[in-house]
């Protein structure tokens, strides 16, 4: 038998060392490929979780119809006017309107009518307007209404005012009301204690 030469020994040792290195390299490539394939799936899962965590905006459950505002062509000394309409609750639970805003002035109040010293007086309502489940709240002169206060410009007939009502749970409902002519006695504004109110006498009135 021929003795192995130094060259033969070197070839055998090299092949034995190279084989494990080749196997390790293949395993490393397989592992990288597997991680690369799974990466987009992990990303999609994270995106899905983020989307499902985003809550939808609350809906008001209210609808407003027949809205109108008392026109104020001449601003005069009493820079205020009233807004009216019908607010329907389309849900099966009571909804309370706690505030309102509009684009004519910076001050808006929710008013009610009460009897004070034998007179019918309009004043800010405490706690807001509550619209019963499935019911309709009618805002009208000498009754519940929205008051636009501290006006800095006149409101001619035909001009539209945009309102936003805010409910107790933070939901909002927006509506637009045109300014109409309103024939009625002049409002007598008198500051109350802590809050403002304005006395109004009953008389025939009309809108056009």
């Amino acid at each position: 038998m021929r003795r192995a030469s130094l060259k033969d020994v070197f070839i055998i040792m090299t092949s034995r060392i190279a084989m494990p290195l080749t196997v390790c390299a293949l395993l490393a490539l397989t592992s990288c490929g597997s991680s690369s394939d799974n990466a987009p799936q992990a990303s999609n899962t994270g995106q899905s979780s983020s989307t499902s965590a985003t809550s939808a905006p609350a809906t008001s459950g209210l609808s407003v119809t027949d809205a109108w505002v008392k026109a104020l062509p001449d601003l005069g000394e009493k820079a205020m006017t009233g807004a009216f309409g019908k607010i329907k609750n389309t849900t099966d639970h009571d909804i309370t309107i706690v505030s309102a805003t509009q684009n004519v002035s910076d001050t808006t109040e929710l008013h009610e009518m009460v009897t004070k010293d034998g007179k019918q007086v309009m004043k800010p309502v405490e706690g807001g307007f509550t619209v019963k489940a499935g019911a309709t709240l009618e805002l009208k002169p000498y009754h519940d209404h929205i008051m636009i206060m501290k006006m800095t410009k006149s409101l001619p007939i035909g001009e539209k005012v945009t309102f936003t009502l805010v409910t107790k749970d933070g939901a909002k409902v927006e509506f637009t009301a045109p300014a109409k002519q309103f024939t009625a006695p002049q409002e007598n504004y008198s500051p109350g204690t802590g809050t403002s109110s304005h006395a109004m006498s009953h008389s025939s009135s009309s809108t056009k």
Side-chain angles (χ1 to χ4, degrees):
M1 180 181 296
R2 184 176 64 87
R3 288 185 178 183
S5 64
L6 291 175
K7 182 178 179 180
D8 293 335
V9 173
F10 177 76
I11 292 173
I12 293 172
M13 293 180 65
T14 302
S15 62
R16 289 181 178 179
I17 295 173
M19 185 176 293
L21 291 176
T22 303
V23 172
C24 290
L26 289 174
L27 290 175
L29 289 173
T30 303
S31 176
C32 290
S34 177
S35 299
S36 176
D37 292 340
N38 291 334
Q41 295 179 3
S43 175
N44 290 338
T45 302
Q47 182 177 358
S48 176
S49 299
S50 176
T51 302
S52 61
T54 303
S55 59
T59 55
S60 68
L62 300 174
S63 62
V64 181
T65 58
D66 300 333
W68 63 280
V69 183
K70 176 186 174 183
L72 196 65
D74 182 12
L75 200 60
E77 297 179 359
K78 296 177 176 60
M80 61 183 180
T81 191
F84 317 95
K86 297 177 182 178
I87 305 175
K88 181 174 178 58
N89 181 349
T90 60
T91 73
D92 58 358
H93 59 273
D94 297 352
I95 297 177
T96 300
I97 301 169
V98 294
S99 66
T101 58
Q102 34 70 33
N103 63 334
V104 174
S105 75
D106 294 330
T107 304
T108 312
E109 295 181 357
L110 307 179
H111 280 203
E112 66 176 344
M113 184 180 71
V114 297
T115 302
K116 182 179 180 180
D117 298 330
K119 297 180 180 180
Q120 297 298 315
V121 177
M122 297 290 183
K123 72 177 188 65
V125 59
E126 294 183 6
F129 295 144
T130 297
V131 188
K132 297 294 184 180
T136 299
L137 172 66
E138 184 174 4
L139 306 179
K140 54 185 178 179
Y142 310 121
H143 295 272
D144 294 341
H145 64 280
I146 301 171
M147 203 69 186
I148 302 175
M149 312 287 289
K150 300 180 181 180
M151 298 172 62
T152 57
K153 63 178 182 178
S154 61
L155 183 63
I157 296 173
E159 185 168 326
K160 294 182 178 181
V161 181
T162 300
F163 291 86
T164 300
L165 304 179
V166 181
T167 65
K168 189 175 182 179
D169 61 1
K172 298 180 180 180
V173 56
E174 184 174 299
F175 66 94
T176 301
K180 296 184 178 182
Q181 181 179 356
F182 180 73
T183 305
Q186 180 65 42
E187 297 168 344
N188 182 22
Y189 181 80
S190 59
T193 304
T195 59
S196 61
S197 62
H198 52 96
M200 302 176 69
S201 59
H202 289 278
S203 179
S204 61
S205 60
S206 62
T207 58
K208 294 183 180 181

